[in-house]
Amino acid sequence: MSSREVIVLNVGGVRFVTRASTLQQFPESRLARMVNDDDREFKLVNGELFVDRDGALFSYIMDFLRTLQVSLPTDFSDYQRLHREAEFYGLYPLADLLSQEHLLKPRLEILEVRFSLQEMQTFFRIFGSCSTTIEALAEQITVFTGQQSGQGWNSPFPSQKPLVPLPLERPSHHDIVFLCGTEYSAGDHFMARYVSIKPDNRKLINGTNVLGLLFDTLLKDGFRLISTRTVTSEEKVECYTFERMKRAAGLAIMVNQTPGSSGVAQARRSQMQKGK
């Protein structure tokens, strides 16, 4: 086997085709010893190496060997079984990560949108339990301001004068505050605020239209609406609550080969994504 570049594994009836070098990522693992014909657990049958283990779980083992990252589906629950498989194959850095389920399990993320319609202006406040989501949303939302004359709120045309982008209000890392609509300034002029939400290029002035576009954006991003309530009927403040399961940050094993280490892999954990 040691002379082969491509190896076919049959794990519990599921076939995997991979390079020998992939199986040798961790030189002291059973998979590396298998490549060197040094593990009797793996039987050569019709040119394929057969091992009587769980083939579905081995797909995660192969993904780890190919990427050196642990990234599991949001609905994954077999941490103990996968941990047992990692130990069987001698992949102890992977087993160490799997023993810390809290690092790998997805987290429930809550996002709240407050919507208040007052005369010709609409106020928005977005609160999110995850600051990175709020940061990403803030990069998508732009408020433009400019003067227009005549019909104000009901005008279907944006101002003829150039629109100036305004920074969003950020009361904290978890909040975004902005408004759209018009307010009377002087004479026959109105100060108008338009909202654009990428990747949609429209500049919307009507608060209901902005709310609809914001909903579409959140739903496409994996959120689902779970509740609607009126906060204060006097001020007409509506609150919409969304939730989604946020995938855990990808974790990687860094393998360093050092002189005098006799080919033993030295591993350390590193978090690939930031999020709170």
Side-chain angles (χ1 to χ4, degrees), residues 8 30 41 45 53 67 87 114 141 149 176 188 203 208 233 246 262-263:
V8 179
R30 297 186 72 173
E41 187 71 36
V45 179
R53 304 294 293 191
T67 65
E87 287 193 326
R114 293 200 173 196
I141 299 174
S149 59
I176 300 173
D188 195 29
K203 294 179 177 63
T208 303
S233 57
K246 183 172 183 281
S262 301

Side-chain angles (χ1 to χ4, degrees), residues 3-24:
S3 62
R4 292 190 183 182
E5 181 180 358
V6 177
I7 294 177
V8 179
L9 284 170
N10 186 325
V11 184
V14 182
R15 296 175 73 252
F16 298 88
V17 181
T18 186
R19 291 177 177 272
S21 58
T22 301
L23 300 174
Q24 293 172 317

Side-chain angles (χ1 to χ4, degrees), residues 28-226:
E28 292 195 342
S29 69
R30 297 186 72 173
L31 292 169
R33 295 201 304 270
M34 172 205 70
V35 175
N36 298 322
D37 299 320
D38 195 23
D39 195 307
R40 296 182 180 179
E41 187 71 36
F42 298 83
K43 307 294 184 181
L44 191 61
V45 179
N46 298 326
E48 300 179 357
L49 280 168
F50 176 79
V51 59
D52 190 16
R53 304 294 293 191
D54 190 304
L57 289 177
F58 190 73
S59 64
Y60 300 113
I61 301 286
M62 282 304 309
D63 183 63
F64 168 73
L65 291 173
R66 287 166 174 155
T67 65
L68 296 182
Q69 294 187 28
V70 185
S71 182
L72 301 172
T74 55
D75 59 349
F76 186 81
S77 60
D78 287 337
Y79 291 94
Q80 291 185 350
R81 292 180 61 216
L82 186 56
H83 178 271
R84 186 173 63 223
E85 294 301 292
E87 287 193 326
F88 170 81
Y89 292 110
L91 297 171
Y92 298 110
L94 173 60
D96 178 50
L97 283 180
L98 290 168
S99 66
Q100 304 177 67
E101 295 182 24
H102 66 282
L103 296 176
L104 299 169
K105 285 186 175 180
R107 298 178 181 179
L108 181 64
E109 182 179 353
I110 300 296
L111 190 140
E112 182 181 276
V113 177
R114 293 200 173 196
F115 170 86
S116 176
L117 181 61
Q118 299 179 13
E119 296 182 353
M120 295 190 297
Q121 292 183 312
T122 306
F123 295 82
F124 291 86
R125 182 162 191 159
I126 303 173
F127 171 84
S129 60
C130 179
S131 61
T132 53
T133 297
I134 293 297
E135 290 291 341
L137 196 56
E139 292 179 359
Q140 291 179 261
I141 299 174
T142 306
V143 177
F144 297 90
T145 184
Q147 275 194 344
Q148 70 181 57
S149 59
Q151 299 172 350
W153 174 273
N154 296 316
S155 176
F157 305 106
S159 171
Q160 297 299 315
K161 295 182 179 180
L163 297 177
V164 179
L166 291 177
L168 298 178
E169 291 185 42
R170 298 295 308 277
S172 74
H173 292 297
H174 294 271
D175 291 82
I176 300 173
V177 177
F178 62 93
L179 61 89
C180 64
T182 59
E183 60 180 341
Y184 181 76
S185 57
D188 195 29
H189 290 82
F190 291 83
M191 182 61 67
R193 285 185 174 87
Y194 301 84
V195 174
S196 178
I197 305 178
K198 297 178 181 177
D200 195 297
N201 293 320
R202 291 175 297 169
K203 294 179 177 63
L204 303 176
I205 194 172
N206 184 287
T208 303
N209 293 340
V210 173
L211 184 66
L213 179 57
L214 180 59
F215 275 26
D216 287 344
T217 301
L218 294 175
L219 294 173
K220 289 177 181 177
D221 201 27
F223 283 95
R224 66 186 186 96
L225 180 65
I226 59 172

